[in-house]
Amino acid sequence: MATPVGWSPGGSGSVCLAFDQLRDVIESQEELIQQLRNVMVLQDENFVSKEEFQAVEKKLVEEKAAHAKTKVLLAKEEEKLQFALGEVEVLSKQLEKEKLAFEKALSSVKSRALQESSKKDQLITKCNEIESHIIKQEDILNGKENEIKELQQVISQQKEIFRNHVSDIRIQKQQENYMAHVLDQKHKKASGTRQTRSRQRPREK
C-alpha cells in the first residue's frame, strides 16, 4: 500500500496532515460515486448504449475498490493518529514534570544566589571595616614611628653631648694627671735637693 502524501513516521503533525488528506480524498470519492449513481439513474431513465453502461459500471467498480482501499488506509492512519496523540500526551506530561522541576531548581538557584549575594555584601562591609581599622592602625603606627624617630634623634644628640662631655672629662683628667705628675716630680726634686744640702752643711763644719 502506498504511503499517503505529507505523512512521515514519528511526527504527529505529519499524521494529522495525512489524515486530513485521506479524509478529503474519501469525500471526493464519495462525491464522485454519487455523481456516477446519478448518471446511472439518468441512464436508466434514458436509453444508453451497452458500451457506455459497461464503461460507467467499470468506473464505478474501480471507484468503489479505491474507496474501500482508502477507508482501510484511513483506519490505519486513524490508529497511527491515536498512537501519536497518546505519545504527545505522554510527552506533554513529561514536559510538564520537567518544567515544574526546572522551575523548582531555578527558584532554589535564585534563593541561593540571593543568600550568596547577601553573604558577599556582608563580607564586603566587614572587609571595609577591617580596612578602615587597618588604616587607623597604620596612622597610629606612623605616629609612633615618627615619635620613635624623634626620640632616636634626641638620644643621638644626647649621646653626642655625652661623648663630648666624656671626652672633656678625659682631657681634663689627663691634664690633672699630668699636672699631678709634674707637681710630684717637682716635689721629689725639691725634697732631694734639701736632703743634699742638709748633708753638705755638717761636712763644712
Side-chain angles (χ1 to χ4, degrees):
M1 184 181 294
T3 303
V5 178
W7 181 82
S8 61
S12 60
S14 300
V15 172
C16 292
L17 179 61
F19 179 76
D20 293 337
Q21 290 178 345
L22 286 173
R23 185 173 56 190
D24 293 339
V25 170
I26 289 173
E27 290 176 356
S28 299
Q29 289 176 346
E30 288 179 347
E31 184 179 353
L32 181 59
I33 289 171
Q34 186 62 39
Q35 290 176 0
L36 289 173
R37 284 176 179 171
N38 293 335
V39 170
M40 290 179 69
V41 170
L42 291 174
Q43 287 177 348
D44 289 338
E45 294 177 355
N46 301 315
F47 177 77
V48 293
S49 64
K50 184 179 180 180
E51 290 79 7
E52 291 178 354
F53 176 77
Q54 288 177 344
V56 172
E57 186 179 23
K58 181 180 179 182
K59 190 171 184 180
L60 178 61
V61 171
E62 290 176 352
E63 290 295 333
K64 284 183 177 181
H67 182 63
K69 289 182 180 179
T70 305
K71 280 189 174 182
V72 172
L73 183 60
L74 178 61
K76 291 182 179 180
E77 293 300 327
E78 285 179 345
E79 184 179 355
K80 291 180 181 178
L81 177 60
Q82 293 300 323
F83 179 76
L85 290 175
E87 287 186 338
V88 169
E89 185 177 0
V90 172
L91 291 174
S92 296
K93 290 180 178 179
Q94 184 178 355
L95 180 62
E96 185 66 22
K97 289 181 180 179
E98 292 179 353
K99 181 181 178 182
L100 292 174
F102 173 77
E103 289 177 351
K104 185 177 180 181
L106 181 62
S107 176
S108 177
V109 169
K110 285 182 178 179
S111 176
R112 186 174 179 182
L114 288 174
Q115 291 177 357
E116 293 297 329
S117 178
S118 177
K119 288 182 181 178
K120 184 192 72 175
D121 293 338
Q122 291 176 359
L123 288 173
I124 290 175
T125 302
K126 190 172 183 180
C127 287
N128 289 334
E129 291 176 354
I130 293 173
E131 185 177 1
S132 177
H133 180 70
I134 289 173
I135 291 173
K136 291 180 180 178
Q137 292 294 324
E138 287 179 348
D139 291 338
I140 293 173
L141 289 174
N142 289 331
K144 295 293 184 182
E145 287 180 355
N146 291 331
E147 289 180 5
I148 290 170
K149 288 180 180 178
E150 291 177 358
L151 289 174
Q152 286 177 344
Q153 291 178 355
V154 172
I155 291 171
S156 297
Q157 292 175 357
Q158 289 178 348
K159 283 182 178 180
E160 185 66 26
I161 293 171
F162 180 74
R163 287 195 193 96
N164 294 332
H165 184 63
V166 169
S167 178
D168 292 340
I169 291 173
R170 285 178 181 174
I171 293 172
Q172 184 178 357
K173 190 173 182 180
Q174 288 176 357
Q175 290 176 347
E176 289 176 354
N177 290 335
Y178 177 76
M179 293 298 295
H181 178 69
V182 170
L183 292 173
D184 185 60
Q185 291 294 328
K186 287 183 177 181
H187 179 70
K188 287 180 179 180
K189 186 176 181 180
S191 177
T193 304
R194 284 195 297 268
Q195 289 179 359
T196 304
R197 288 178 179 175
S198 61
R199 288 176 183 174
Q200 289 177 354
R201 286 176 183 171
R203 290 179 182 175
E204 292 176 353
K205 290 180 179 180

